[in-house]
Tab-separated table of all heavy atoms in Angstrom:
chain	number	residue	atom	x	y	z
A	405	VAL	N	-36.759	13.929	-15.371
A	405	VAL	CA	-36.688	15.109	-14.503
A	405	VAL	C	-37.864	15.192	-13.538
A	405	VAL	O	-37.672	15.353	-12.321
A	405	VAL	CB	-36.629	16.393	-15.346
A	405	VAL	CG1	-36.564	17.615	-14.423
A	405	VAL	CG2	-35.436	16.369	-16.268
A	406	GLY	N	-39.094	15.072	-14.049
A	406	GLY	CA	-40.264	15.248	-13.193
A	406	GLY	C	-40.343	14.229	-12.063
A	406	GLY	O	-40.390	14.598	-10.880
A	407	PRO	N	-40.375	12.923	-12.395
A	407	PRO	CA	-40.451	11.925	-11.328
A	407	PRO	C	-39.273	11.997	-10.365
A	407	PRO	O	-39.450	11.875	-9.146
A	407	PRO	CB	-40.453	10.596	-12.098
A	407	PRO	CG	-40.933	10.927	-13.464
A	407	PRO	CD	-40.447	12.315	-13.739
A	408	LEU	N	-38.065	12.210	-10.902
A	408	LEU	CA	-36.885	12.228	-10.042
A	408	LEU	C	-36.931	13.398	-9.067
A	408	LEU	O	-36.615	13.252	-7.886
A	408	LEU	CB	-35.619	12.297	-10.901
A	408	LEU	CG	-34.290	12.165	-10.150
A	408	LEU	CD1	-34.232	10.853	-9.375
A	408	LEU	CD2	-33.110	12.264	-11.112
A	409	THR	N	-37.354	14.567	-9.551
A	409	THR	CA	-37.440	15.729	-8.667
A	409	THR	C	-38.448	15.489	-7.552
A	409	THR	O	-38.196	15.814	-6.384
A	409	THR	CB	-37.832	16.984	-9.467
A	409	THR	OG1	-36.879	17.207	-10.507
A	409	THR	CG2	-37.875	18.210	-8.567
A	410	SER	N	-39.594	14.903	-7.885
A	410	SER	CA	-40.626	14.636	-6.876
A	410	SER	C	-40.111	13.659	-5.811
A	410	SER	O	-40.295	13.876	-4.612
A	410	SER	CB	-41.883	14.068	-7.539
A	410	SER	OG	-42.446	15.008	-8.434
A	411	ILE	N	-39.485	12.584	-6.256
A	411	ILE	CA	-39.005	11.555	-5.326
A	411	ILE	C	-37.896	12.113	-4.437
A	411	ILE	O	-37.911	11.952	-3.210
A	411	ILE	CB	-38.522	10.327	-6.100
A	411	ILE	CG1	-39.708	9.643	-6.780
A	411	ILE	CG2	-37.794	9.349	-5.185
A	411	ILE	CD1	-39.308	8.615	-7.811
A	412	LEU	N	-36.922	12.781	-5.050
A	412	LEU	CA	-35.795	13.299	-4.276
A	412	LEU	C	-36.234	14.383	-3.299
A	412	LEU	O	-35.721	14.465	-2.175
A	412	LEU	CB	-34.718	13.837	-5.217
A	412	LEU	CG	-34.032	12.805	-6.118
A	412	LEU	CD1	-32.957	13.473	-6.973
A	412	LEU	CD2	-33.426	11.674	-5.296
A	413	SER	N	-37.183	15.211	-3.699
A	413	SER	CA	-37.686	16.242	-2.793
A	413	SER	C	-38.333	15.620	-1.566
A	413	SER	O	-38.132	16.083	-0.435
A	413	SER	CB	-38.697	17.144	-3.515
A	413	SER	OG	-38.084	17.841	-4.569
A	414	ALA	N	-39.110	14.552	-1.789
A	414	ALA	CA	-39.750	13.865	-0.662
A	414	ALA	C	-38.699	13.256	0.270
A	414	ALA	O	-38.830	13.312	1.503
A	414	ALA	CB	-40.697	12.788	-1.178
A	415	VAL	N	-37.644	12.688	-0.302
A	415	VAL	CA	-36.590	12.076	0.511
A	415	VAL	C	-35.842	13.140	1.309
A	415	VAL	O	-35.573	12.971	2.512
A	415	VAL	CB	-35.618	11.280	-0.376
A	415	VAL	CG1	-34.382	10.857	0.416
A	415	VAL	CG2	-36.308	10.052	-0.960
A	416	VAL	N	-35.480	14.254	0.663
A	416	VAL	CA	-34.761	15.325	1.344
A	416	VAL	C	-35.594	15.879	2.501
A	416	VAL	O	-35.091	16.106	3.607
A	416	VAL	CB	-34.388	16.446	0.356
A	416	VAL	CG1	-33.881	17.682	1.097
A	416	VAL	CG2	-33.320	15.954	-0.622
A	417	ASP	N	-36.885	16.095	2.264
A	417	ASP	CA	-37.759	16.602	3.319
A	417	ASP	C	-37.825	15.632	4.491
A	417	ASP	O	-37.758	16.028	5.657
A	417	ASP	CB	-39.168	16.841	2.763
A	417	ASP	CG	-39.214	18.010	1.789
A	417	ASP	OD1	-38.247	18.792	1.760
A	417	ASP	OD2	-40.221	18.141	1.063
A	418	ALA	N	-37.949	14.338	4.183
A	418	ALA	CA	-38.027	13.333	5.252
A	418	ALA	C	-36.706	13.245	6.014
A	418	ALA	O	-36.693	13.088	7.246
A	418	ALA	CB	-38.396	11.974	4.669
Side-chain angles (χ1 to χ4, degrees):
V405 180
L408 187 58
T409 302
S410 297
I411 293 167
L412 295 182
S413 297
V415 170
V416 169
D417 291 345

